[in-house]
Amino acid sequence: MSNNSGFEQTSYADQVVIVTGAASGIGRSAAQLIASRGASIICVDLNQAGLDQTVSEIKKAGGVAESALLDISNQSGVMELISNLAKKHNRVDALINCAGYPGPTGVLVEDIKWDDFQKVIQVNLFGAIWLTQAVLPIMKKQKYGRIVQVASIAGKEGNPKMAPYNTAKAGLIGFVKGVAKEVATDGITINALAPAVIATPINVNTAKETLDYMIAKIPAGRLGEPSEVAEIIAFMGSKACSFTTGFTFDISGGRATY
């Protein structure tokens, strides 16, 4: 880099960025914004129709994108995809993990079926761990990398009747803290983001009482927008995020001030 101008630090020119959960919501917004800043985006999701739409919108706007179908709760699938992408592109500059699954909401903990509990942990926590394990050797070899894990305010404060999701996201925040200290001298940062409730398709099936509870807790008195979340993610995944690691960024309309 010729100088340390802010523009160059936030530019993604010549970078390869993997965005999971890219078919809708926060993932789609993040993919579009980072593509607009010059990255080649690999859009990953389970939802092929949504992926196709994200990729076509990015291309229409003049960006570069491709899609990859993945069930993040399948360990061998995660490992195989990242390995194939690394071979194809010879690099992975940033991993933005927006894939998420709320599981049962509005259900008391003792009434949650164990299969349902495990599924939430598998998607939101295990998937995040496997993705991290898969990209770290690539990033260490490059001596550069950015990992962004989208956690949740639920992982900091806990929402009633959402036990599996609270558990998975709290685990994810803890995971990020420790891994950051392992890779702090490798040119790699890993951070989490804790959104409060955001206006995305993930909340379509959330129990009304749960949604009302969450909105009532937000001092700003409204849902967050995916585009607002994307702005923070774009910073976290960029060269500019060079001295912040192991941290959980807040985007909660004032609900969490820590």
Side-chain angles (χ1 to χ4, degrees):
M1 290 168 68
S2 54
N3 60 45
N4 287 330
S5 76
F7 173 72
E8 289 194 24
Q9 292 286 318
T10 55
S11 163
Y12 280 87
D14 305 320
Q15 291 194 30
V16 174
V17 178
I18 297 170
V19 181
T20 70
S24 64
I26 292 170
R28 174 176 285 177
S29 277
Q32 290 173 323
L33 182 59
I34 293 169
S36 77
R37 293 185 183 173
S40 293
I41 304 281
I42 297 143
C43 299
V44 178
D45 208 295
L46 246 188
N47 167 0
Q48 186 68 62
L51 273 180
D52 292 344
Q53 198 182 332
T54 302
V55 168
S56 98
E57 284 174 15
I58 289 172
K59 287 179 171 173
K60 224 177 274 173
V64 178
E66 66 187 79
S67 70
L69 208 58
L70 176 72
D71 175 358
I72 195 180
S73 68
N74 174 339
Q75 185 180 15
S76 58
V78 169
M79 296 306 185
E80 193 182 334
L81 177 68
I82 300 299
S83 153
N84 290 343
L85 289 173
K87 280 187 195 121
K88 179 178 175 183
H89 294 276
N90 295 317
R91 61 189 300 132
V92 175
D93 296 284
L95 164 70
I96 315 287
N97 179 30
C98 305
Y101 167 62
T105 62
V107 184
L108 291 167
V109 64
E110 66 269 32
D111 295 330
I112 296 169
K113 294 185 188 78
W114 187 237
D115 280 355
D116 292 340
F117 210 113
Q118 281 184 300
K119 175 73 176 167
V120 176
I121 303 267
Q122 191 115 356
V123 173
N124 295 290
L125 180 56
F126 291 3
I129 293 169
W130 297 329
L131 283 164
T132 305
Q133 289 179 317
V135 299
L136 275 179
I138 302 158
M139 291 177 171
K140 282 181 176 179
K141 215 160 137 189
Q142 295 169 175
K143 285 276 175 222
Y144 178 82
R146 298 287 181 262
I147 299 174
V148 178
Q149 297 287 2
V150 177
S152 170
I153 190 71
K156 283 186 173 187
E157 296 203 343
N159 288 321
K161 300 183 181 176
M162 285 185 74
Y165 194 69
N166 298 335
T167 305
K169 294 301 193 178
L172 183 53
I173 288 170
F175 173 73
V176 164
K177 286 179 183 181
V179 173
K181 294 175 174 71
E182 292 180 28
V183 300
T185 55
D186 292 309
I188 301 165
T189 66
I190 174 169
N191 293 290
L193 178 62
V197 65
I198 307 297
T200 69
I202 198 174
N203 292 308
V204 169
N205 298 317
T206 301
K208 188 181 184 306
E209 97 179 272
T210 305
L211 211 53
D212 290 347
Y213 166 88
M214 293 191 290
I215 296 168
K217 288 274 181 193
I218 299 173
R222 65 172 175 87
L223 300 179
E225 293 298 329
S227 58
E228 293 175 308
V229 186
E231 284 291 346
I232 294 193
I233 289 174
F235 164 72
M236 294 166 72
S238 75
K239 288 177 184 172
C241 188
S242 51
F243 198 58
T244 303
T245 195
F247 182 60
T248 302
F249 284 80
D250 171 68
I251 181 151
S252 70
R255 175 170 172 184
T257 48
Y258 61 96

